[in-house]
Amino acid sequence: QSALTQPPSASGSPGQSVTISCTGTSSDVGTYNSVSWYQQHPGKAPKLMIYDVSKRPSGVPDRFSGSKSGNTASLTVSGLQAEDEADYYCSSYAGSNNLVFGGGTKMTVL
Amino acid sequence: QLQLQESGPGLVKPSETLSLTCTVSGGSISSANYYWSWIRRPAGKGLEWIGTIYYSGSSYYSPSLKGRVTISLDTSKNQFSLRLNSVTATDTAAYYCGGRSFYFMDVWGKGTTVTVSS
């Protein structure tokens, strides 16, 4: 059982916006602004898309954005494109030198 | 450009020790700017943080694996390693090494699959 809860699937048509949630507790997401999001295509390594809740690494399109409210973080993909079809994982610092991941969300572009 | 590459046996017997190495190129493993981590993804499941080590040698482990896992640095070879003792079938996974911050990784190896089976 994963420490952070994500919906198993999400979908949208090209051009639409899709938001994936990541629910933790007051011991992780709710307390620390160290939430990250990763994209993973089949057979590939994860790719960092968002760090520190809402910061984008260089090279990540601004279609990807992150936010947090209370114990829930969110990743929004705007202007959905075919190449956005992938698995998405959130992670959060959980205190005491511990890092936790979500169970992952499979994004389908219809 | 920093690059990471995992290496090690693809098959390990139950109760034995899983040993993997991550070779770092394009940068020094002794840099104070980086933390080095191991993450795994069992088939059909999500990512799981295994542990992280800093250039100073300080290491941090997942509570669920603590007692079975050791991460170490080899500065002479610019590598860091993972040892996981007493493996079972539940340790079968794709194993990745990553680097940057304790809180996130923006450099990843391609991953290596380890199967635990007799």
Side-chain angles (χ1 to χ4, degrees):
Chain A
Q1 191 171 3
S2 301
L4 305 179
T5 301
Q6 296 180 234
S9 63
S11 62
S13 300
Q16 288 187 330
S17 291
V18 177
T19 297
I20 299 171
S21 62
C22 170
T23 302
T25 69
S26 57
S27 298
D28 39 63
V29 175
T31 293
Y32 302 101
N33 289 323
S34 299
V35 176
S36 304
W37 288 90
Y38 299 89
Q39 176 192 67
Q40 188 175 32
H41 288 107
K44 300 293 186 181
K47 176 185 177 183
L48 180 69
M49 306 302 284
I50 296 287
Y51 68 99
D52 292 352
V53 177
S54 60
K55 297 178 182 176
R56 266 190 319 275
S58 174
V60 173
D62 60 6
R63 303 184 294 103
F64 292 85
S65 62
S67 63
K68 188 185 86 166
S69 178
N71 296 337
T72 299
S74 299
L75 173 72
T76 298
V77 185
S78 304
L80 203 60
Q81 298 182 4
E83 60 260 36
D84 299 333
E85 186 161 294
D87 293 329
Y88 291 84
Y89 294 91
C90 61
S91 74
S92 174
Y93 183 62
S96 302
N97 298 313
N98 186 24
L99 194 68
V100 292
F101 279 90
T105 297
K106 183 177 181 61
M107 171 86 81
T108 300
V109 180
L110 302 171
Chain B
Q1 176 114 3
L2 199 65
Q3 291 186 320
L4 308 182
Q5 177 66 59
E6 305 88 350
S7 59
L11 181 65
V12 181
K13 290 182 168 55
S15 80
E16 295 191 345
T17 297
L18 181 159
S19 295
L20 296 175
T21 296
C22 183
T23 300
V24 179
S25 58
S28 172
I29 200 169
S30 299
S31 168
N33 294 325
Y34 284 89
Y35 285 77
W36 307 103
S37 299
W38 286 98
I39 299 93
R40 69 181 182 180
R41 181 178 178 181
K45 297 188 177 180
L47 297 174
E48 178 184 15
W49 176 68
I50 298 171
T52 296
I53 192 165
Y54 194 38
Y55 83 101
S56 62
S58 297
S59 54
Y60 315 92
Y61 303 121
S62 168
S64 65
L65 296 172
K66 216 166 189 176
R68 290 206 295 137
V69 61
T70 303
I71 298 176
S72 58
L73 295 172
D74 186 337
T75 55
S76 66
K77 295 181 180 178
N78 221 34
Q79 296 174 335
F80 63 103
S81 298
L82 167 70
R83 286 176 58 87
L84 183 64
N85 301 327
S86 305
V87 298
T88 68
T90 58
D91 295 309
T92 294
Y95 285 76
Y96 300 92
C97 57
R100 175 62 71 183
S101 159
F102 183 93
Y103 310 108
F104 62 85
M105 294 123 258
D106 68 352
V107 182
W108 292 74
K110 292 181 179 181
T112 187
T113 298
V114 178
T115 300
V116 178
S117 176
S118 55

